[in-house]
Each structure stands twice: as C-alpha cells, then as structure tokens.
Amino acid sequence: MANTITLDEVVKNAVREKQIGANNQVRVEQFKTACTALITEMRQWLNAHVEAKLVIPNAPQKVSISEFGIAYEADCWSFNIGAQRVDLRPRGTWVIGAYGRVDMIGYPGNLEILTLNEDFNWEISKRGKTKVTYSLLSEANFPEALSRALSIS
C-alpha cells in the first residue's frame, strides 16, 4: 500500500492545528473579558435602580462553556425587577456570523446580544420578517433591550 501523505504534510498540518488552537484560546480569553465588561456596564446602568431597591442584583456566577476543545468559565449575572428575573448568560464564540453571543433571558422574553467584530462591541439583534437588524448596545437603548427580554411594551 502506497503512502498518501508525506511527512512534510503531517508536520505542516500539526503546526497549523497548533496555531488554530492558540488563536481559539486568544478568542476565548477576549470573549471572557468582554462578557465581564458587559456585565459591569449593565450594572452601572442599573445602579440608581439598585440603590432605590427597585432592581435586586443576584450574586455574580460563572457559566461553563466548552468549544474548540477548550472548556472554560465565563461570568454571568442575574437580577430581579419586581416579580421577574433577567439572566445574562454567555453562550460562547461559536456563533455563525458573530464573534460571540450573550443571551438576555427574561420570562417569557429572550434577547440575543452579539459582537459582530473582533473589537467586541456588543449589538442587539432584532429579527424582522425577512432579515435581522443590529443596533449597538448603549445606555440609551438598554431600556428597549430590557423591555424586549421581559416582554414588556
């Protein structure tokens, strides 16, 4: 039986796989940092309501994620508004068309917050009848995002 792969090809493939793994590890670390920053920013936006005891924050937690053969933990957070709870749950970087995803889960609503570039600028996705649109998440449009997650108009 003839060999169909050369030693050079095996070595090149192994080196390429190692580089891909290193790149994936960097992306995971960037995602974890971006998730922590997103939670910190949202906590700041809600701070006045927390101080007024209208929003009750829960203790920060970690969520386990496994992708690219890498198991890791990312920060997640939840808070209560009235009788409703909102969870910010990172989903990972294995997202078609995006670099990362965090779900804002209310009951009964759900909102996807995506980063569409390597700068990890978080954007709110909104599904229309024929296409998905995105808007940069900011303090100004956070109330709209929160109302969508809570299904409050």
Side-chain angles (χ1 to χ4, degrees):
M1 181 187 299
N3 289 337
T4 58
I5 188 167
T6 68
L7 183 56
D8 285 344
E9 291 171 325
V10 171
V11 171
K12 285 178 186 176
N13 288 342
V15 169
R16 186 180 69 232
E17 288 297 319
K18 182 179 180 183
Q19 183 60 45
I20 290 170
N23 291 344
N24 289 341
Q25 184 66 46
V26 168
R27 186 169 170 180
V28 163
E29 292 303 320
Q30 290 171 333
F31 176 70
K32 288 169 46 177
T33 300
C35 288
T36 301
L38 175 65
I39 290 168
T40 300
E41 193 166 40
M42 286 186 178
R43 288 180 74 109
Q44 291 171 347
W45 296 340
L46 289 167
N47 191 46
H49 299 287
V50 169
E51 288 179 359
K53 300 196 184 314
L54 300 171
V55 172
I56 310 300
N58 297 310
Q61 296 180 340
K62 301 277 186 186
V63 62
S64 295
I65 302 171
S66 182
E67 55 187 356
F68 307 119
I70 302 168
Y72 63 97
E73 291 186 333
D75 290 336
C76 62
W77 183 55
S78 64
F79 54 92
N80 297 316
I81 300 177
Q84 297 196 39
R85 177 181 165 136
V86 176
D87 292 310
L88 295 171
R89 184 159 306 274
R91 294 298 185 194
T93 62
W94 191 256
V95 182
I96 295 173
Y99 280 82
R101 174 177 154 191
V102 173
D103 287 349
M104 183 186 291
I105 306 167
Y107 300 98
N110 188 6
L111 176 74
E112 293 176 355
I113 303 171
L114 302 168
T115 179
L116 303 176
N117 56 46
E118 293 176 334
D119 294 334
F120 283 92
N121 296 314
W122 294 103
E123 302 199 30
I124 304 167
S125 68
K126 188 171 187 177
R127 297 182 189 280
K129 289 185 178 183
T130 58
K131 68 178 183 175
V132 178
T133 58
Y134 302 95
S135 58
L136 192 61
L137 179 63
S138 67
E139 187 172 8
N141 66 7
F142 178 65
E144 176 192 343
L146 188 56
S147 70
R148 284 180 46 207
L150 294 172
S151 295
I152 297 172
S153 44

